[in-house]
Amino acid sequence: MSSPQRAYDDGKSLPVAGFFLLAALSLFWGLNWPGMKIALGELPIWWFRAMSVSAGAFGLLTIAYFSNGVRYPAAWEIKPLLICAVFNILGWHLFTGYGVSLMPAGRASIIAFTMPVWASLFSSVILGEPITRLKLIGLALGVAGLATLIGPDLVVLQTAPVGAAFMLGAAVSWAIGTVLFKKYAWTSPVVALVGWQLLIGAVVITLGAAILEPVPDLTRLSDRAILALAYLFALPMVFCQWAYFKVVRMFPAAIAAIGTLAVPVVGVYSSALILGEPVGWPELTAMALICCALAVVLVVPALGRRPRSG
């Protein structure tokens, strides 16, 4: 069976379902950032992440059970799952938890979504995926858009370097995890694979929370925080976790990563709407550049593959 990368290079069509999943990811993951900011205002970081990751694990493994029954990983899959969980779950969720708590949510999402840059580099080294001209153009446009938004954060890097460093660490960790997940020829369904990764992360993070932080009093949470948690558990932690790795299985790793560049745009605007964070010309410019990046990487190749009449 040909790989998604081979199909892409041979000019064959990428799965249409993948584009719909990327659109849903952009919306639901974008709204995730103000939700995180609200929840972290009332919950300690480790317990917030323990609850989030546990909810994701429970949701996805429940879906797997009612779909085809929960499949335990094959013996050879256990080590790769542990490695992927370190980067996709532990690194990403802990780094973003600290990062969002230390800087504006919209800006944090922008730094986190420099991930496609790192994923393209790692996929070239680890998977041998070619860095094509369209990918380079798309990355350049995407990075230009992110740089437009990060400009004001140069002050943040000077005044609050820890938060920015955590978000950059999250981006690199997620990129490595994405490429490693793509590397292995898994035999288990995606929903189960992601559920097991989340379960591994949930065990580790919950143990860390029990050691490092007092147990929070959930009865004191505001209605706003409860609503934010309900949203975070249902969509970003269950649907989006499954959808992203489904896209990674469908598309080349670099394309899947670049396809998420719209997330920080939604993150910035939703944070402005929900949290009152400022939006100005940098955000508008960034949105235009990132939309161009998505078009170059996803739309232009698709148009080029359309059969010519005559």
Side-chain angles (χ1 to χ4, degrees):
M1 182 181 294
S2 62
S3 68
Q5 179 62 49
R6 175 65 63 187
Y8 183 78
D9 293 340
D10 289 346
K12 297 178 183 177
S13 205
L14 291 174
V16 174
F19 293 93
F20 285 104
L21 289 176
L22 282 173
L25 283 170
S26 297
L27 175 62
F28 297 140
W29 256 349
L31 290 169
N32 169 65
W33 295 91
M36 281 179 59
K37 191 72 174 181
I38 293 169
L40 285 167
E42 300 187 31
L43 286 170
I45 293 168
W46 280 77
W47 280 111
F48 165 67
R49 277 315 193 189
M51 293 166 59
S52 301
V53 175
S54 296
F58 176 79
L60 286 170
L61 292 177
T62 299
I63 292 170
Y65 175 80
F66 285 107
S67 299
N68 299 307
V70 175
R71 287 180 54 183
Y72 293 101
W76 72 266
E77 290 179 322
I78 294 175
K79 183 178 178 180
L81 267 178
L82 290 170
I83 295 171
C84 288
V86 168
F87 293 102
N88 285 322
I89 309 303
L90 296 178
W92 169 258
H93 286 281
L94 291 177
F95 284 153
T96 54
Y98 280 103
V100 170
S101 70
L102 295 170
M103 62 190 304
R107 300 292 175 178
S109 72
I110 295 162
I111 297 176
F113 279 85
T114 59
M115 182 275 285
V117 178
W118 313 114
S120 292
L121 296 175
F122 291 134
S123 66
S124 176
V125 173
I126 298 173
L127 303 178
E129 292 185 0
I131 301 180
T132 64
R133 182 173 62 180
L134 284 178
K135 285 183 185 177
L136 287 174
I137 294 172
L139 277 173
L141 289 168
V143 171
L146 295 176
T148 301
L149 284 171
I150 290 174
D153 286 313
L154 294 177
V155 177
V156 175
L157 288 170
Q158 296 174 359
T159 60
V162 177
F166 273 126
M167 295 313 304
L168 185 59
V172 172
S173 183
W174 185 21
I176 295 173
T178 293
V179 173
L180 289 177
F181 189 83
K182 182 72 177 180
K183 177 182 178 181
Y184 299 106
W186 308 98
T187 58
S188 301
V190 172
V191 65
L193 289 170
V194 181
W196 290 122
Q197 285 188 77
L198 286 165
L199 183 60
I200 292 167
V203 171
V204 175
I205 295 173
T206 302
L207 288 174
I211 294 170
L212 298 173
E213 296 173 344
V215 178
D217 182 1
L218 300 182
T219 62
R220 302 184 64 181
L221 292 177
S222 67
D223 291 342
R224 194 178 189 215
I226 292 172
L227 183 62
L229 287 173
Y231 172 81
L232 294 171
F233 292 170
L235 290 172
M237 289 308 307
V238 176
F239 172 77
C240 292
Q241 291 287 335
W242 166 81
Y244 176 71
F245 288 104
K246 186 71 174 177
V247 170
V248 170
R249 292 286 291 270
M250 290 178 171
F251 290 177
I255 300 300
I258 293 170
T260 65
L261 281 173
V263 175
V265 176
V266 178
V268 167
Y269 280 94
S270 61
S271 295
L273 180 64
I274 297 170
L275 303 177
E277 294 180 0
V279 174
W281 69 265
E283 288 77 16
L284 294 173
T285 303
M287 183 170 66
L289 289 168
I290 289 172
C291 286
C292 288
L294 293 171
V296 166
V297 175
L298 298 175
V299 179
V300 172
L303 292 175
R305 289 190 293 270
R306 293 178 61 183
R308 298 179 180 178
S309 60

